[in-house]
Amino acid sequence: FPSHDRKLSWTIFSWVNSKNLLVVDADYGVLENPIDLSIRDYIDKLKSNPNKLIIGSSVIGSTSKKWMIAGGVGFVDKKTSKYIGAITIGFEN
C-alpha cells in the first residue's frame, strides 16, 4: 500500500446509557452535560444486538471533534436481560 505511513487509531472509550446519553468519557470523566447520541445510526442497533460490535457511519466525534467511524458494543443486565447501555469508540482515519 502506498500509504503505509498512515495509521489507524481510535479515540477514548465512552459509556452511553440506556437513554442514548453519553455520560462518561475516559478523557473527560463523568460529563456534567451528557451528550445525546440518539441521532447516530448505530445507537439503536446496539440495543437489539447486545454483545456485538456495531459499526456506524463516519461522523465528527462528540468529544474528540475528530472525523471518525463510530461504533460500540451494547450490554444487557444478566439477571433481567434489560439493556443498560454501551461502550462506544471512534476509529479515526
Side-chain angles (χ1 to χ4, degrees), residues 8-90:
L8 180 67
S9 63
W10 52 87
T11 59
I12 298 298
F13 288 96
S14 299
W15 178 255
V16 177
N17 69 17
S18 62
K19 297 177 183 175
N20 301 332
L21 298 175
L22 190 158
V23 293
V24 179
D25 181 86
D27 264 350
Y28 299 102
V30 177
L31 301 180
E32 286 185 32
N33 298 308
I35 301 168
D36 187 354
L37 295 184
S38 296
I39 195 166
R40 301 283 170 94
D41 63 350
Y42 69 98
I43 290 292
D44 282 335
K45 295 175 186 172
L46 296 172
K47 295 178 182 181
S48 57
N49 297 282
N51 304 314
K52 294 182 181 174
L53 177 63
I54 304 296
I55 302 296
S57 301
S58 296
V59 294
I60 299 296
S62 56
T63 57
S64 72
K65 306 301 182 208
K66 296 178 180 179
W67 190 249
M68 68 173 131
I69 298 168
V73 176
F75 297 96
V76 295
D77 182 283
K78 193 172 187 178
K79 292 180 182 176
T80 65
S81 297
K82 183 178 178 183
Y83 179 78
I84 57 173
I87 291 188
T88 60
I89 189 169

